[in-house]
Amino acid sequence: MQHDRRRYRITGGRPLHGSVTVGGAKNAVTKQLVASLLTSEPSILTNVPRIVEVEIVLHMLAELGTKITWLDAKSLRVETPQITSPSLSELYSGVNRIPILMMGPLLHRVGESSIPLPGGCRIGKRPIDFHLAGLREMGAEVTEMPRSVTVKTLRLEGAHVTLPFPSVGATENILLAAVLARGTTVIHNAAVEPEVLDTIHFLQQMGALVSVEVDRTIIVEGVDRLHGTTHRPINDRIEAASFAAAAVATGGRVEVRGAQQEHLVTFLNHLRKLGGDFRVTEAGILFYRQRPLTAEHVETGVHPGFMTDWQQPLVVLLTQAQGSSVIHETIYEDRFGYTSQLNRMGANIALSTACLGGRECRFASKDFPHSAIVMGATLLCGGPLEIPDLRAGFAYILAALVAHGTSEISGTRYLERGYEDPVGKLRAIGADVETVPVSSDNT
Ligand code: EPU
């Protein structure tokens, strides 16, 4: 169990100005680190964000036999000449979603593996049934234990796998199993998020044969061996949208260097419709407020839809918009828990179990509070905030930045898992943020 290293004390009311640089995408880099296990040769990743989640994955890899060298501040060399242990310690049970992705590579390298059951943010049940069904279809013998999963096989075989929902993790899991399997694997209804495609690019550079069809079908022709490569992962589109929202919410003007328009198209449309605007620059995208903010209707969805991880900063923006906004969350059944603390700050957000806004999703009639109505504009007042999960964490930062008065934010360990130097970056654009070491804090 990790504890906070520090709390953040934020005094709101200052428009943010200046420029900030986003790092490599957490959800691409961590998967590519796992993919590096598919060969005994070294691979180099550049543009690696210095976030806690990367440190955790490196600890996991080291336990399996990976040799890790930082070549410079952002470049990492990983090499696993031999798998020294086919199992990952149960200490990692509940830590994140990465160990389950190691099953395919470990099956190829040593024919068996035992992996702790995943955790991740507190945003829904997040089962792994699609992952295990896919591996079983490819010939793995899967045994589920209360805290771990064991897999065994003589050789993984290509298969036709149809995902009930385009799950990012399950698509990646089957991909990592399929690239060295005997024969062809076809993944129907696959996820095609930019981070998944970036990991496909990494695998192709390693020698894999993967093609992506227009109808969400991914075809993988198994090869006999893969080799090491050098790759620069895409930039983090969630971090980019987070700082974009901060610029618009505070009425400032921030250039987000490294923001890539092609990965933000849906976000940019909604931002413009609610009153923000942007200009693509040589280094990234400049974000600012165009007019007083007005209500919007947004539905989260799989790519190229509006990402579920953009939903939380958007909700804070909508608390500052005139009118009644509706957000329908269709990826996770329970991703609005964080709004109760925003209401304590003065927001007016009501949750509903109905599919608000038109389209029915797979959570219809299931009693999950997966729609939100945000009435605005509301005046937020600073106060104590406890971060429940990574993406809610940035939403609370944003709420504190627009609020009157000072907020003291705990649970910062969640935020630091996925955001690189959030305090330094916020200060550089003029935010009034102090850190308070937890040990010297008597609350
Ligand atoms: N699902 C199942 N069974 C499965 C797998 C998924 O029912 O076996 C369901 C999930 O419960 C969820 C939906 O399918 O309702 C989508 O889940 P998905 O598998 O796509 O999510 P993930 O791979 O666990 C990744 C990111 C998330 C991001 C989602 C959606 C990583 C490490 N995590 O999660 O990122 O929200 O895709 O794009 O890549 C974050 O970075 O803060 C984060 C939560």
PDB file of all heavy atoms in Angstrom, residues 183-194:
ATOM      1  N   GLY A 183       0.353 -19.508 -36.370  1.00  0.00           N
ATOM      2  CA  GLY A 183      -0.831 -19.208 -37.188  1.00  0.00           C
ATOM      3  C   GLY A 183      -1.353 -17.796 -36.984  1.00  0.00           C
ATOM      4  O   GLY A 183      -0.706 -16.959 -36.360  1.00  0.00           O
ATOM      5  N   THR A 184      -2.538 -17.588 -37.513  1.00  0.00           N
ATOM      6  CA  THR A 184      -3.105 -16.231 -37.564  1.00  0.00           C
ATOM      7  C   THR A 184      -4.177 -16.045 -36.496  1.00  0.00           C
ATOM      8  O   THR A 184      -5.008 -16.925 -36.283  1.00  0.00           O
ATOM      9  CB  THR A 184      -3.708 -15.995 -38.970  1.00  0.00           C
ATOM     10  OG1 THR A 184      -2.640 -16.102 -39.917  1.00  0.00           O
ATOM     11  CG2 THR A 184      -4.350 -14.622 -39.099  1.00  0.00           C
ATOM     12  N   THR A 185      -4.124 -14.892 -35.860  1.00  0.00           N
ATOM     13  CA  THR A 185      -5.153 -14.537 -34.872  1.00  0.00           C
ATOM     14  C   THR A 185      -5.950 -13.365 -35.417  1.00  0.00           C
ATOM     15  O   THR A 185      -5.365 -12.405 -35.932  1.00  0.00           O
ATOM     16  CB  THR A 185      -4.502 -14.127 -33.532  1.00  0.00           C
ATOM     17  OG1 THR A 185      -3.735 -15.234 -33.061  1.00  0.00           O
ATOM     18  CG2 THR A 185      -5.533 -13.747 -32.482  1.00  0.00           C
ATOM     19  N   VAL A 186      -7.265 -13.460 -35.302  1.00  0.00           N
ATOM     20  CA  VAL A 186      -8.114 -12.345 -35.732  1.00  0.00           C
ATOM     21  C   VAL A 186      -8.874 -11.851 -34.503  1.00  0.00           C
ATOM     22  O   VAL A 186      -9.559 -12.635 -33.836  1.00  0.00           O
ATOM     23  CB  VAL A 186      -9.102 -12.792 -36.839  1.00  0.00           C
ATOM     24  CG1 VAL A 186      -9.928 -11.607 -37.326  1.00  0.00           C
ATOM     25  CG2 VAL A 186      -8.343 -13.427 -38.002  1.00  0.00           C
ATOM     26  N   ILE A 187      -8.692 -10.579 -34.183  1.00  0.00           N
ATOM     27  CA  ILE A 187      -9.422 -10.007 -33.041  1.00  0.00           C
ATOM     28  C   ILE A 187     -10.555  -9.155 -33.610  1.00  0.00           C
ATOM     29  O   ILE A 187     -10.309  -8.123 -34.254  1.00  0.00           O
ATOM     30  CB  ILE A 187      -8.514  -9.131 -32.146  1.00  0.00           C
ATOM     31  CG1 ILE A 187      -7.178  -9.816 -31.865  1.00  0.00           C
ATOM     32  CG2 ILE A 187      -9.229  -8.773 -30.839  1.00  0.00           C
ATOM     33  CD1 ILE A 187      -6.171  -8.926 -31.114  1.00  0.00           C
ATOM     34  N   HIS A 188     -11.787  -9.615 -33.404  1.00  0.00           N
ATOM     35  CA  HIS A 188     -12.956  -8.851 -33.859  1.00  0.00           C
ATOM     36  C   HIS A 188     -13.400  -7.919 -32.749  1.00  0.00           C
ATOM     37  O   HIS A 188     -13.314  -8.261 -31.574  1.00  0.00           O
ATOM     38  CB  HIS A 188     -14.114  -9.805 -34.205  1.00  0.00           C
ATOM     39  CG  HIS A 188     -13.762 -10.794 -35.284  1.00  0.00           C
ATOM     40  ND1 HIS A 188     -13.783 -10.474 -36.617  1.00  0.00           N
ATOM     41  CD2 HIS A 188     -13.367 -12.087 -35.206  1.00  0.00           C
ATOM     42  CE1 HIS A 188     -13.426 -11.535 -37.324  1.00  0.00           C
ATOM     43  NE2 HIS A 188     -13.162 -12.534 -36.488  1.00  0.00           N
ATOM     44  N   ASN A 189     -13.926  -6.752 -33.126  1.00  0.00           N
ATOM     45  CA  ASN A 189     -14.399  -5.747 -32.157  1.00  0.00           C
ATOM     46  C   ASN A 189     -13.248  -5.310 -31.235  1.00  0.00           C
ATOM     47  O   ASN A 189     -13.419  -5.147 -30.022  1.00  0.00           O
ATOM     48  CB  ASN A 189     -15.569  -6.313 -31.335  1.00  0.00           C
ATOM     49  CG  ASN A 189     -16.417  -5.225 -30.713  1.00  0.00           C
ATOM     50  OD1 ASN A 189     -16.477  -4.103 -31.229  1.00  0.00           O
ATOM     51  ND2 ASN A 189     -17.053  -5.521 -29.596  1.00  0.00           N
ATOM     52  N   ALA A 190     -12.087  -5.130 -31.827  1.00  0.00           N
ATOM     53  CA  ALA A 190     -10.895  -4.752 -31.051  1.00  0.00           C
ATOM     54  C   ALA A 190     -10.914  -3.263 -30.722  1.00  0.00           C
ATOM     55  O   ALA A 190     -11.584  -2.468 -31.382  1.00  0.00           O
ATOM     56  CB  ALA A 190      -9.646  -5.062 -31.873  1.00  0.00           C
ATOM     57  N   ALA A 191     -10.151  -2.884 -29.695  1.00  0.00           N
ATOM     58  CA  ALA A 191      -9.960  -1.464 -29.381  1.00  0.00           C
ATOM     59  C   ALA A 191      -8.911  -0.902 -30.334  1.00  0.00           C
ATOM     60  O   ALA A 191      -7.911  -1.570 -30.621  1.00  0.00           O
ATOM     61  CB  ALA A 191      -9.487  -1.304 -27.937  1.00  0.00           C
ATOM     62  N   VAL A 192      -9.138   0.319 -30.819  1.00  0.00           N
ATOM     63  CA  VAL A 192      -8.167   0.938 -31.733  1.00  0.00           C
ATOM     64  C   VAL A 192      -7.754   2.318 -31.209  1.00  0.00           C
ATOM     65  O   VAL A 192      -7.534   3.253 -31.979  1.00  0.00           O
ATOM     66  CB  VAL A 192      -8.710   1.023 -33.177  1.00  0.00           C
ATOM     67  CG1 VAL A 192      -8.808  -0.358 -33.801  1.00  0.00           C
ATOM     68  CG2 VAL A 192     -10.077   1.719 -33.212  1.00  0.00           C
ATOM     69  N   GLU A 193      -7.663   2.427 -29.876  1.00  0.00           N
ATOM     70  CA  GLU A 193      -7.218   3.675 -29.263  1.00  0.00           C
ATOM     71  C   GLU A 193      -5.803   3.986 -29.765  1.00  0.00           C
ATOM     72  O   GLU A 193      -5.027   3.064 -30.062  1.00  0.00           O
ATOM     73  CB  GLU A 193      -7.195   3.493 -27.737  1.00  0.00           C
ATOM     74  CG  GLU A 193      -8.429   3.917 -26.988  1.00  0.00           C
ATOM     75  CD  GLU A 193      -9.733   3.210 -27.383  1.00  0.00           C
ATOM     76  OE1 GLU A 193      -9.693   2.211 -28.127  1.00  0.00           O
ATOM     77  OE2 GLU A 193     -10.798   3.679 -26.962  1.00  0.00           O
ATOM     78  N   PRO A 194      -5.422   5.274 -29.839  1.00  0.00           N
ATOM     79  CA  PRO A 194      -4.074   5.612 -30.313  1.00  0.00           C
ATOM     80  C   PRO A 194      -2.963   4.894 -29.543  1.00  0.00           C
ATOM     81  O   PRO A 194      -1.935   4.537 -30.123  1.00  0.00           O
ATOM     82  CB  PRO A 194      -3.995   7.127 -30.090  1.00  0.00           C
ATOM     83  CG  PRO A 194      -5.405   7.596 -30.116  1.00  0.00           C
ATOM     84  CD  PRO A 194      -6.239   6.481 -29.581  1.00  0.00           C
TER      85      PRO A 194
END
